[in-house]
Amino acid sequence: MPVAERRLVLKHVDQPGYTVDIDCYLRHGGYEELRKALTMKPAEIVNEVKISGMRGRGGAGFSCGLKWSFIDPTKNTKPVYVICNADESEPGTFKDKQIIYKDPHQLIEGMVISCFANNAHLSYIYIRGEFTEGAKILERTIAEARERNFLGKNILGTGFDLDIYVHRGAGAYICGEETGLIESLEGKRAYPRIKPPYFPAVLGLYMSPTIVNNVETLCNAKHIIAMGGAEYAKLGKPNNTGTRCLCVSGDVVKPGYFEFEVGHITMGELLYDVCGGPRPGRKFKAIIPGGSSAKVMRADDVYKLKKRGPDGTTVETQLAFNDVPIDFDTLSAVGTMAGSGGIIVMDDSRDMAQCLANIAEFYAHESCGQCTPCREGSLWMKKITSRIAAGHGRPEDRALLKNVAHNIGGRTICAFGEACAWPVESFIAKFPEEFDPKPPAVPVEAPAPRTPAAFQPTP
Amino acid sequence: MHPPVNPLEGDVHSSTGEIIPDTRHSHDGHFACSEVVITPEFQDQGDEIMTHYPASRRSAVLPLLHLWQETHGFISEQAIEWIAGMIRLQTINVLEVVTFYPMFRRHPAGKIQVKVCRTLSCALGGGYELRDYLLKKLNVGEPDAHGLATSADGTYSVEFVECLASCGTAPVIMINDDFYESVTHDKADALLAAHPLAPANNPPSA
């Protein structure tokens, strides 16, 4: 029996007959939570979100209620901004797109609630530039909500004013980093800011207090109001509450997006029962559990975990890959992260050097160029992995790659440094033999190609 | 008559620092110098965008660049000057943004622009083979230093882009602003044949 999905955010996505217009949304109980939230005090809403224990769904897994509580509207003389991060660009992740394209009013309702809770009167949705259609859908959605007075001046007669605008990015991955996003929204290059002092909650957009939340996080705000924080906290596991959208792609029979209570499904259940297992005649080999920045896992991994028992003694337990529950804490305990929920699966036909070369090329393309270790290191990692993948590897390459990667993490302004170093470090640690020189596919004298060779399944 | 190529008008290669002469100036005249007319409707659209950013005019840079590129195809010197005027800053403040974001072009691409996702899930699903197939099928030649391959008549261009956020339905392409998922070679053929801008669907008028 596959574990049953628990759809909150994706409840109406792909439901037959469900459309994106406001009448359909209202027929399904839309904007009821907003009416309820507007009868509460902003501080009460922040408190409910805190009690819910919901952690941000963008990738870092930071407590949403805590983020909100950094802003004290009573002490602020500057305006507060709420920004929706819809720059979904972590490879392997495609959940926010489903919400934006198929249930956009849910996002707007979540945003109005969040803005009311934080006393923000101007809010932006930063959507990635390639979602041209998504941006149009959201603009129509905002216009409809404004017509019905769920947005604009004096919302539903409460005296609360709010405007939301859609702001399109233009193809830069780094805009998903919250301070890079803020710079971009200010009309500059998306160079992430140094923290401290530029914590968004203190010095964010236009040097004002700012909250940046992921699409799924903002939608969850609506469900927390509907259920109450305490009831929401019963979903999932302690410190890993609520539901989570998971996106599975790569070498499985049935890839797709799903929503489960956090930690209620294991890797094995998800990949075999829900996604139909590997393609015929194949076996799973490597799994990236939380977007391409997360450290890779081996399908035959067995992890040793230390748990503190109720009597205070430490017990060591073993956990096979298939039994790893998908939640924030377990995935970090086994040395990787839940990240953005994008799970990329590779089977035994894949050459890990080619897969890593592909990821390294992505990060080399997307490094913003602000910090030297990342700007230079990402290009070198691309160059070295490409030559290994093309069969021009050198005996010293493995050590060289490790050395380059170790010199990026922790030496950059933003987490992109770690994001590009982790895949390299983990692929080499988990599959060292695949990064040794192999017999070249083409004569050695030929120059290495600019891009890694096409993915050819090995027999 | 082809104007001589001024190497200083070329772009600087991002990693080698070499100047890449812009040879595309020559094949259909000197488009880089031709100015477009700013219509009142276009100006109104620009002014409407400005109202979204009450706290800072500079924030309108990206949407104004999108507006220009969607209307006029690419970001020309004229575009940069017009936007600098709109946000009341120097042209360099616009140019630095144009060169940072991959979606903005400083040269025209094909009328039908095919973007193929290159990143891991699509690569596993056959994205590289699909790109190679399209390069050949559309006869666009080899990609230039920016990764863009455009056919000689300016109808098609093909390029790789990074993750398009539809990984579960790999491989994914965009044709102009439209997304297509699970694209086989046959599906790509059908999509391109049915495209309203395809030459077969636009017989030259007598």
Coordinates of all heavy atoms in Angstrom, one line a residue, chain A residues 81 91-94 97 122 124 128-132 165 167-171 184-191 206 249 255 344-345 350 358-359 361-362 365-366 368 452 455, chain B residues 13 51-56 58-59 61-63 66 70 96-97 99-104 118-121 123-124 128-129 145 162-168 174 177 179 181:
Chain A
Y81 N 8.1 45.5 3.8 CA 7.8 44.9 2.5 C 7.8 43.4 2.7 O 8.6 42.8 3.4 CB 8.8 45.2 1.5 CG 8.9 46.7 1.1 CD1 9.9 47.5 1.7 CD2 8.0 47.3 0.3 CE1 10.0 48.9 1.4 CE2 8.0 48.6 0.0 CZ 9.0 49.4 0.5 OH 9.1 50.7 0.2
P91 N 17.6 23.4 -9.8 CA 17.4 22.2 -10.6 C 16.7 21.1 -9.9 O 17.1 20.7 -8.8 CB 18.8 21.9 -11.1 CG 19.5 23.1 -11.1 CD 19.0 23.9 -9.9
G92 N 15.7 20.5 -10.4 CA 14.9 19.4 -9.8 C 13.6 19.9 -9.1 O 12.9 19.1 -8.7
T93 N 13.4 21.2 -9.1 CA 12.2 21.7 -8.3 C 11.2 22.3 -9.3 O 11.6 23.1 -10.1 CB 12.7 22.8 -7.3 OG1 13.9 22.3 -6.7 CG2 11.7 23.1 -6.3
F94 N 10.0 21.9 -9.2 CA 8.9 22.4 -10.0 C 7.6 22.5 -9.4 O 6.5 22.4 -10.0 CB 8.8 21.6 -11.4 CG 8.8 20.1 -11.2 CD1 7.7 19.4 -11.3 CD2 10.0 19.5 -11.0 CE1 7.7 18.0 -11.2 CE2 10.1 18.1 -10.8 CZ 8.9 17.3 -10.9
K97 N 5.7 26.3 -9.6 CA 5.1 26.5 -10.9 C 3.7 25.9 -10.9 O 2.8 26.5 -11.5 CB 6.0 25.7 -12.0 CG 5.5 26.0 -13.4 CD 6.3 25.3 -14.4 CE 5.8 25.6 -15.8 NZ 6.2 24.6 -16.7
L122 N 2.9 47.2 0.7 CA 3.3 47.0 -0.7 C 4.1 45.7 -0.7 O 4.9 45.4 0.1 CB 4.2 48.2 -1.1 CG 4.7 48.3 -2.5 CD1 3.6 48.2 -3.5 CD2 5.6 49.5 -2.7
Y124 N 5.7 42.5 -3.5 CA 6.1 42.1 -4.8 C 6.1 40.6 -4.9 O 6.5 39.9 -4.0 CB 7.4 42.7 -5.2 CG 7.4 44.2 -5.4 CD1 7.8 45.0 -4.3 CD2 6.9 44.8 -6.5 CE1 7.8 46.4 -4.5 CE2 6.8 46.2 -6.7 CZ 7.3 47.0 -5.6 OH 7.2 48.3 -5.8
R128 N 10.3 34.1 -11.8 CA 11.4 34.0 -12.7 C 11.0 34.4 -14.1 O 9.8 34.2 -14.5 CB 12.0 32.6 -12.7 CG 11.1 31.5 -13.0 CD 11.7 30.1 -13.1 NE 12.8 30.1 -14.1 CZ 13.6 29.1 -14.3 NH1 13.5 28.1 -13.6 NH2 14.6 29.2 -15.2
G129 N 11.9 34.9 -14.9 CA 11.6 35.5 -16.2 C 11.0 34.6 -17.2 O 10.2 34.9 -18.0
E130 N 11.4 33.3 -17.1 CA 10.9 32.3 -18.0 C 9.4 32.0 -17.8 O 8.8 31.4 -18.8 CB 11.7 31.0 -17.9 CG 13.2 31.1 -18.4 CD 14.1 31.6 -17.3 OE1 13.6 32.1 -16.3 OE2 15.3 31.6 -17.5
F131 N 8.9 32.3 -16.7 CA 7.4 32.0 -16.5 C 6.6 33.2 -17.0 O 5.9 33.9 -16.3 CB 7.1 31.9 -15.0 CG 7.6 30.6 -14.3 CD1 7.6 30.4 -13.0 CD2 8.2 29.6 -15.1 CE1 8.0 29.2 -12.4 CE2 8.6 28.4 -14.5 CZ 8.5 28.2 -13.2
T132 N 6.7 33.4 -18.3 CA 6.0 34.5 -18.9 C 4.5 34.3 -18.7 O 3.8 35.3 -18.3 CB 6.3 34.5 -20.4 OG1 7.6 34.2 -20.6 CG2 6.0 35.9 -21.0
Y165 N 2.4 43.7 -6.7 CA 2.8 43.8 -8.1 C 3.7 42.5 -8.5 O 4.4 42.0 -7.6 CB 3.6 45.0 -8.4 CG 2.8 46.3 -8.3 CD1 3.0 47.2 -7.2 CD2 1.8 46.6 -9.2 CE1 2.3 48.3 -7.1 CE2 1.1 47.7 -9.1 CZ 1.3 48.6 -8.0 OH 0.5 49.7 -7.9
H167 N 6.9 41.1 -10.4 CA 8.1 41.6 -11.0 C 8.9 40.4 -11.6 O 9.1 39.4 -10.9 CB 8.9 42.2 -9.8 CG 10.2 42.8 -10.2 ND1 10.4 44.1 -10.5 CD2 11.5 42.3 -10.4 CE1 11.6 44.4 -10.8 NE2 12.3 43.3 -10.8
R168 N 9.2 40.5 -12.8 CA 9.8 39.4 -13.5 C 11.3 39.4 -13.4 O 11.9 40.5 -13.7 CB 9.4 39.3 -15.0 CG 8.0 38.8 -15.2 CD 7.6 38.9 -16.7 NE 8.5 38.0 -17.5 CZ 8.7 38.1 -18.8 NH1 8.2 39.1 -19.4 NH2 9.4 37.3 -19.4
G169 N 11.9 38.3 -13.1 CA 13.4 38.2 -13.2 C 13.8 38.0 -14.6 O 13.0 38.2 -15.6
A170 N 15.1 37.7 -14.9 CA 15.5 37.6 -16.3 C 16.6 36.5 -16.4 O 17.6 36.7 -17.0 CB 16.0 38.9 -16.8
G171 N 16.3 35.3 -15.8 CA 17.1 34.2 -16.1 C 18.3 34.0 -15.2 O 19.2 33.2 -15.5
S184 N 18.1 42.7 -7.0 CA 17.5 42.6 -8.4 C 16.3 43.4 -8.4 O 16.0 44.2 -9.4 CB 17.3 41.2 -8.7 OG 16.7 41.1 -10.0
L185 N 15.5 43.4 -7.4 CA 14.2 44.1 -7.3 C 14.5 45.6 -7.2 O 13.7 46.4 -7.6 CB 13.4 43.6 -6.1 CG 12.0 44.1 -6.0 CD1 11.1 44.0 -7.2 CD2 11.3 43.3 -4.9
E186 N 15.7 46.0 -6.8 CA 16.0 47.4 -6.7 C 16.6 47.9 -8.1 O 17.0 49.0 -8.2 CB 17.1 47.6 -5.6 CG 16.5 47.5 -4.2 CD 17.4 47.9 -3.1 OE1 18.6 48.3 -3.4 OE2 17.0 47.8 -1.9
G187 N 16.6 46.9 -9.0 CA 17.1 47.3 -10.4 C 18.6 47.2 -10.6 O 19.1 47.9 -11.4
K188 N 19.2 46.4 -9.8 CA 20.7 46.2 -9.9 C 21.0 44.8 -10.3 O 20.2 44.0 -10.4 CB 21.3 46.6 -8.6 CG 21.0 48.0 -8.1 CD 21.5 48.1 -6.7 CE 20.9 49.3 -6.0 NZ 21.0 49.2 -4.5
R189 N 22.3 44.6 -10.5 CA 22.8 43.2 -10.6 C 22.5 42.5 -9.3 O 22.6 43.1 -8.3 CB 24.3 43.2 -10.9 CG 24.7 43.8 -12.2 CD 26.2 43.7 -12.4 NE 26.5 43.7 -13.8 CZ 27.5 43.0 -14.3 NH1 28.3 42.3 -13.6 NH2 27.7 43.0 -15.6
A190 N 22.2 41.2 -9.5 CA 21.7 40.4 -8.3 C 22.9 40.0 -7.4 O 23.1 38.8 -7.2 CB 20.9 39.3 -8.7
Y191 N 23.7 40.9 -7.0 CA 24.8 40.5 -6.1 C 24.3 40.4 -4.7 O 23.9 41.3 -4.1 CB 25.9 41.5 -6.1 CG 26.7 41.6 -7.4 CD1 27.3 42.8 -7.8 CD2 26.9 40.5 -8.2 CE1 28.0 42.9 -8.9 CE2 27.7 40.6 -9.3 CZ 28.2 41.8 -9.7 OH 29.0 41.9 -10.9
Y206 N 15.0 48.5 -0.3 CA 15.1 50.0 0.0 C 15.5 50.3 1.4 O 15.1 51.2 2.1 CB 13.8 50.7 -0.3 CG 13.2 50.4 -1.7 CD1 11.9 50.0 -1.8 CD2 14.0 50.4 -2.8 CE1 11.3 49.7 -3.0 CE2 13.4 50.0 -4.1 CZ 12.1 49.7 -4.2 OH 11.5 49.4 -5.4
S249 N 12.2 13.7 -10.3 CA 12.5 13.7 -11.7 C 13.7 12.8 -11.9 O 14.3 12.3 -11.0 CB 12.9 15.1 -12.2 OG 14.0 15.6 -11.5
P255 N 7.7 10.0 -12.8 CA 8.1 11.2 -12.1 C 6.9 12.1 -11.9 O 5.9 11.9 -12.4 CB 9.1 11.9 -13.1 CG 8.8 11.3 -14.4 CD 8.1 10.0 -14.2
I344 N 16.2 14.3 -7.5 CA 16.7 13.9 -8.9 C 17.3 12.5 -8.7 O 18.2 12.2 -7.9 CB 17.7 14.8 -9.4 CG1 17.2 16.3 -9.4 CG2 18.1 14.4 -10.9 CD1 18.2 17.3 -9.9
V345 N 16.8 11.5 -9.6 CA 17.2 10.1 -9.4 C 18.0 9.7 -10.6 O 17.7 10.0 -11.8 CB 15.9 9.2 -9.4 CG1 16.3 7.8 -9.1 CG2 15.0 9.7 -8.3
R350 N 23.9 5.4 -15.6 CA 24.5 6.8 -15.6 C 26.0 6.8 -15.2 O 26.3 6.2 -14.2 CB 23.7 7.7 -14.8 CG 22.2 7.8 -15.1 CD 22.0 8.2 -16.6 NE 20.6 8.3 -16.8 CZ 20.1 8.6 -18.0 NH1 20.9 9.0 -19.0 NH2 18.8 8.7 -18.2
N358 N 27.5 18.0 -15.6 CA 26.3 18.8 -15.9 C 26.0 19.8 -14.8 O 25.7 21.0 -15.1 CB 25.2 17.8 -16.1 CG 23.9 18.5 -16.6 OD1 23.3 19.2 -15.8 ND2 23.5 18.4 -17.8
I359 N 26.0 19.3 -13.5 CA 25.7 20.2 -12.4 C 26.8 21.3 -12.3 O 26.5 22.5 -12.1 CB 25.7 19.4 -11.1 CG1 24.5 18.3 -11.2 CG2 25.5 20.3 -9.9 CD1 24.5 17.4 -10.0
E361 N 28.5 22.6 -14.6 CA 28.3 23.6 -15.7 C 27.2 24.6 -15.3 O 27.3 25.8 -15.6 CB 28.0 22.9 -17.0 CG 28.0 23.9 -18.1 CD 27.9 23.4 -19.6 OE1 28.1 22.1 -19.7 OE2 27.7 24.1 -20.5
F362 N 26.2 24.0 -14.7 CA 25.1 24.9 -14.2 C 25.6 26.0 -13.3 O 25.4 27.2 -13.4 CB 24.0 24.1 -13.5 CG 22.9 24.9 -12.9 CD1 21.9 25.4 -13.6 CD2 23.0 25.1 -11.5 CE1 20.9 26.1 -13.0 CE2 22.0 25.9 -10.9 CZ 20.9 26.4 -11.7
H365 N 27.8 28.6 -14.8 CA 27.0 29.6 -15.6 C 26.3 30.6 -14.6 O 26.1 31.7 -15.0 CB 25.9 28.8 -16.4 CG 25.1 29.7 -17.3 ND1 23.8 30.1 -16.9 CD2 25.3 30.2 -18.5 CE1 23.3 30.9 -17.9 NE2 24.2 30.9 -18.8
E366 N 25.9 30.1 -13.5 CA 25.1 30.9 -12.6 C 25.8 31.7 -11.5 O 25.2 32.5 -10.8 CB 24.0 30.0 -11.9 CG 23.0 29.3 -12.9 CD 22.2 30.3 -13.8 OE1 22.2 31.5 -13.4 OE2 21.7 29.9 -14.8
C368 N 27.4 34.5 -9.7 CA 27.2 35.9 -10.0 C 28.5 36.6 -10.2 O 28.5 37.7 -10.8 CB 26.4 36.6 -8.9 SG 27.3 37.1 -7.4
P452 N 30.0 19.2 -21.8 CA 30.2 17.8 -21.6 C 29.5 17.0 -22.7 O 28.5 17.4 -23.2 CB 29.6 17.5 -20.2 CG 28.8 18.7 -19.9 CD 29.3 19.8 -20.7
F455 N 24.6 12.7 -22.9 CA 24.4 11.6 -22.0 C 24.1 10.3 -22.7 O 23.0 10.2 -23.4 CB 23.2 11.9 -21.0 CG 23.6 12.7 -19.9 CD1 24.0 14.1 -20.0 CD2 23.7 12.2 -18.6 CE1 24.4 14.8 -19.0 CE2 24.2 13.0 -17.6 CZ 24.5 14.3 -17.7
Chain B
H13 N 34.7 38.3 -24.4 CA 34.5 36.9 -24.0 C 34.6 36.8 -22.5 O 35.6 37.4 -21.9 CB 35.5 36.0 -24.7 CG 35.1 34.5 -24.5 ND1 35.4 33.8 -23.3 CD2 34.5 33.6 -25.3 CE1 35.0 32.6 -23.5 NE2 34.4 32.5 -24.7
T51 N 4.6 53.1 -12.3 CA 3.7 53.3 -11.1 C 3.8 52.1 -10.1 O 3.3 52.2 -9.0 CB 2.2 53.4 -11.6 OG1 1.8 52.1 -12.2 CG2 2.0 54.5 -12.5
H52 N 4.4 51.0 -10.6 CA 4.5 49.8 -9.7 C 5.6 50.0 -8.6 O 5.7 49.3 -7.7 CB 4.9 48.6 -10.5 CG 3.9 48.2 -11.5 ND1 3.9 47.0 -12.2 CD2 2.7 48.8 -11.9 CE1 2.9 46.9 -13.0 NE2 2.2 48.0 -12.9
Y53 N 6.4 51.0 -8.8 CA 7.6 51.2 -8.0 C 7.6 52.6 -7.3 O 8.5 53.4 -7.6 CB 8.9 50.9 -8.8 CG 8.8 49.6 -9.4 CD1 8.5 49.4 -10.8 CD2 9.1 48.4 -8.7 CE1 8.4 48.2 -11.4 CE2 9.0 47.2 -9.3 CZ 8.7 47.1 -10.6 OH 8.6 45.8 -11.2
P54 N 6.7 52.9 -6.5 CA 6.6 54.2 -5.9 C 7.8 54.6 -5.1 O 8.1 55.8 -5.0 CB 5.4 54.1 -5.0 CG 5.1 52.7 -4.7 CD 5.6 52.0 -5.9
A55 N 8.6 53.6 -4.6 CA 9.7 54.0 -3.7 C 11.0 54.2 -4.5 O 11.9 54.8 -4.0 CB 9.9 52.9 -2.7
S56 N 11.1 53.7 -5.7 CA 12.4 53.8 -6.5 C 12.2 53.6 -7.9 O 11.7 52.6 -8.4 CB 13.4 52.8 -5.9 OG 14.4 52.6 -6.9
R58 N 14.5 53.2 -10.1 CA 15.5 52.3 -10.6 C 14.9 50.9 -10.6 O 15.4 50.1 -11.5 CB 16.7 52.4 -9.7 CG 17.9 51.6 -10.2 CD 19.1 51.8 -9.4 NE 20.3 51.2 -10.0 CZ 21.5 51.3 -9.6 NH1 21.7 52.0 -8.5 NH2 22.5 50.7 -10.2
S59 N 14.0 50.5 -9.7 CA 13.4 49.2 -9.7 C 12.8 48.8 -11.0 O 12.6 47.6 -11.3 CB 12.4 49.1 -8.6 OG 13.0 48.9 -7.3
V61 N 13.9 48.9 -13.9 CA 14.8 48.5 -15.0 C 14.5 47.2 -15.7 O 14.3 47.1 -16.9 CB 16.3 48.5 -14.5 CG1 17.2 47.7 -15.4 CG2 16.9 49.9 -14.4
L62 N 14.3 46.1 -14.9 CA 14.0 44.8 -15.5 C 12.7 44.8 -16.3 O 12.7 44.4 -17.4 CB 14.0 43.7 -14.4 CG 15.4 43.3 -13.8 CD1 15.2 42.1 -12.9 CD2 16.3 42.9 -14.9
P63 N 11.6 45.3 -15.7 CA 10.4 45.3 -16.5 C 10.5 46.2 -17.7 O 9.9 45.8 -18.8 CB 9.3 45.8 -15.5 CG 10.0 46.2 -14.3 CD 11.3 45.6 -14.3
H66 N 12.3 44.1 -20.3 CA 11.4 43.1 -20.8 C 10.5 43.7 -21.8 O 10.3 43.1 -22.9 CB 10.6 42.4 -19.7 CG 11.3 41.3 -19.0 ND1 11.8 40.2 -19.6 CD2 11.6 41.2 -17.7 CE1 12.4 39.4 -18.7 NE2 12.3 40.0 -17.5
E70 N 10.5 42.5 -25.7 CA 9.3 41.9 -26.2 C 8.7 42.6 -27.4 O 8.2 42.1 -28.4 CB 8.2 41.7 -25.2 CG 8.4 40.5 -24.3 CD 7.7 40.6 -23.0 OE1 6.7 41.4 -22.8 OE2 8.2 39.9 -22.0
E96 N 24.8 47.6 -17.2 CA 25.4 46.6 -16.2 C 24.3 45.6 -15.9 O 24.6 44.4 -15.6 CB 25.9 47.3 -14.9 CG 24.8 48.0 -14.1 CD 25.3 48.4 -12.8 OE1 26.4 48.1 -12.4 OE2 24.5 49.0 -12.0
V97 N 23.0 46.0 -16.0 CA 22.0 45.0 -15.7 C 21.8 44.1 -17.0 O 21.6 42.9 -16.8 CB 20.7 45.8 -15.4 CG1 19.5 44.8 -15.3 CG2 20.8 46.5 -14.1
T99 N 23.9 43.2 -19.1 CA 25.0 42.2 -19.3 C 25.0 41.1 -18.2 O 25.6 40.1 -18.3 CB 26.4 42.8 -19.3 OG1 26.5 43.6 -18.2 CG2 26.5 43.7 -20.6
F100 N 24.2 41.4 -17.1 CA 24.2 40.4 -16.0 C 23.2 39.3 -16.3 O 23.4 38.1 -15.9 CB 23.9 41.1 -14.7 CG 24.0 40.2 -13.5 CD1 25.2 40.0 -12.9 CD2 22.8 39.6 -13.0 CE1 25.2 39.2 -11.7 CE2 22.9 38.8 -11.9 CZ 24.1 38.6 -11.2
Y101 N 22.0 39.7 -16.8 CA 20.9 38.7 -16.9 C 20.8 38.0 -18.2 O 20.8 38.6 -19.3 CB 19.6 39.5 -16.6 CG 19.5 40.0 -15.2 CD1 19.9 41.3 -14.9 CD2 18.9 39.2 -14.2 CE1 19.8 41.8 -13.6 CE2 18.9 39.7 -12.9 CZ 19.3 41.0 -12.6 OH 19.2 41.5 -11.3
P102 N 20.9 36.7 -18.2 CA 21.0 35.9 -19.4 C 19.8 36.1 -20.4 O 20.0 35.9 -21.6 CB 21.0 34.4 -19.0 CG 21.3 34.5 -17.5 CD 20.9 35.8 -17.0
M103 N 18.6 36.5 -19.9 CA 17.5 36.6 -20.9 C 17.6 37.7 -21.8 O 16.9 37.8 -22.9 CB 16.2 36.7 -20.1 CG 15.6 35.3 -19.7 SD 14.1 35.5 -18.8 CE 12.9 35.7 -20.2
F104 N 18.4 38.8 -21.5 CA 18.4 39.9 -22.4 C 19.4 39.7 -23.5 O 20.5 39.3 -23.3 CB 18.7 41.2 -21.6 CG 17.7 41.5 -20.5 CD1 18.0 41.7 -19.2 CD2 16.3 41.6 -20.9 CE1 17.0 41.9 -18.3 CE2 15.3 41.8 -20.0 CZ 15.7 42.0 -18.7
R118 N 19.0 22.5 -20.4 CA 20.3 21.8 -20.5 C 20.6 21.0 -19.2 O 21.4 20.1 -19.1 CB 21.4 22.8 -20.7 CG 22.8 22.2 -21.0 CD 23.9 23.1 -20.6 NE 23.9 23.3 -19.1 CZ 24.5 22.4 -18.3 NH1 25.1 21.4 -18.7 NH2 24.5 22.7 -17.0
T119 N 19.9 21.4 -18.1 CA 20.3 21.0 -16.7 C 19.9 19.5 -16.5 O 19.2 18.9 -17.3 CB 19.7 21.9 -15.7 OG1 19.8 23.3 -16.2 CG2 20.4 21.9 -14.4
L120 N 20.4 19.0 -15.3 CA 20.5 17.5 -15.1 C 19.3 16.7 -15.5 O 19.4 15.8 -16.3 CB 20.9 17.3 -13.7 CG 21.2 15.8 -13.4 CD1 22.3 15.3 -14.3 CD2 21.7 15.7 -11.9
S121 N 18.1 17.0 -15.0 CA 16.9 16.2 -15.2 C 16.6 16.1 -16.7 O 16.3 15.0 -17.2 CB 15.7 16.7 -14.4 OG 16.0 16.7 -13.1
A123 N 18.8 16.7 -19.1 CA 19.9 16.0 -19.7 C 19.7 14.5 -19.6 O 19.9 13.7 -20.6 CB 21.2 16.4 -19.1
L124 N 19.2 14.0 -18.4 CA 18.9 12.6 -18.3 C 17.8 12.1 -19.2 O 17.8 11.0 -19.7 CB 18.5 12.3 -16.8 CG 19.6 12.5 -15.7 CD1 18.9 12.4 -14.3 CD2 20.7 11.6 -15.8
Y128 N 20.2 16.9 -24.4 CA 21.4 17.1 -25.4 C 21.1 16.6 -26.8 O 21.3 17.3 -27.7 CB 22.6 16.5 -24.8 CG 23.4 17.3 -23.8 CD1 22.9 17.5 -22.5 CD2 24.5 18.1 -24.2 CE1 23.6 18.3 -21.6 CE2 25.2 18.9 -23.3 CZ 24.7 18.9 -22.0 OH 25.4 19.7 -21.1
E129 N 20.5 15.4 -26.8 CA 20.2 14.8 -28.1 C 19.1 15.7 -28.8 O 19.2 15.9 -30.0 CB 19.6 13.4 -28.0 CG 20.6 12.4 -27.5 CD 20.9 12.4 -26.0 OE1 20.3 13.3 -25.3 OE2 21.7 11.6 -25.5
A145 N 29.5 32.5 -29.6 CA 30.2 32.6 -28.3 C 29.1 32.7 -27.1 O 29.5 32.4 -26.0 CB 31.1 33.7 -28.3
E162 N 19.5 27.2 -18.8 CA 19.5 26.4 -17.6 C 18.1 26.1 -17.1 O 17.1 26.7 -17.5 CB 20.4 27.1 -16.6 CG 21.9 27.2 -17.0 CD 22.6 25.9 -17.3 OE1 22.1 24.8 -16.8 OE2 23.6 25.9 -17.9
C163 N 18.0 25.3 -16.1 CA 16.8 24.7 -15.6 C 15.5 25.5 -15.8 O 15.4 26.7 -15.3 CB 16.9 24.3 -14.1 SG 15.5 23.4 -13.5
L164 N 14.5 25.0 -16.4 CA 13.2 25.7 -16.7 C 12.1 25.3 -15.7 O 11.0 25.6 -15.9 CB 12.8 25.4 -18.1 CG 13.6 26.1 -19.2 CD1 13.1 25.7 -20.6 CD2 13.5 27.6 -19.1
A165 N 12.5 24.5 -14.7 CA 11.5 24.2 -13.6 C 10.3 23.4 -14.1 O 9.2 23.6 -13.8 CB 11.0 25.4 -12.9
S166 N 10.6 22.4 -14.9 CA 9.6 21.4 -15.3 C 10.2 20.0 -15.3 O 10.0 19.2 -16.2 CB 9.0 21.7 -16.6 OG 8.1 22.8 -16.6
C167 N 11.1 19.7 -14.3 CA 12.0 18.6 -14.4 C 11.3 17.2 -14.5 O 11.9 16.3 -15.0 CB 12.9 18.6 -13.2 SG 13.5 20.3 -12.7
G168 N 10.0 17.2 -14.0 CA 9.3 15.9 -14.0 C 8.9 15.5 -15.4 O 8.5 14.3 -15.6
M174 N 11.2 25.7 -24.6 CA 10.3 26.8 -24.8 C 10.5 27.3 -26.2 O 11.6 27.3 -26.8 CB 10.7 28.0 -23.9 CG 10.4 27.8 -22.4 SD 11.0 29.2 -21.5 CE 9.6 30.4 -21.8
D177 N 7.5 32.3 -26.0 CA 7.1 32.3 -24.6 C 6.4 31.1 -24.1 O 5.9 31.1 -23.0 CB 6.2 33.6 -24.4 CG 7.0 34.8 -24.3 OD1 8.2 34.7 -24.1 OD2 6.4 35.9 -24.4
F179 N 5.8 27.1 -23.1 CA 6.5 25.9 -22.5 C 6.0 24.6 -23.2 O 4.8 24.5 -23.4 CB 6.1 25.8 -21.1 CG 7.1 26.2 -20.1 CD1 7.1 27.5 -19.7 CD2 8.0 25.4 -19.6 CE1 8.0 28.0 -18.8 CE2 9.0 25.8 -18.7 CZ 9.0 27.1 -18.3
E181 N 6.4 20.3 -22.7 CA 7.0 19.3 -21.9 C 7.1 17.9 -22.6 O 6.4 17.7 -23.5 CB 6.2 19.2 -20.6 CG 6.1 20.6 -19.9 CD 5.3 20.6 -18.6 OE1 4.3 19.9 -18.5 OE2 5.7 21.3 -17.6

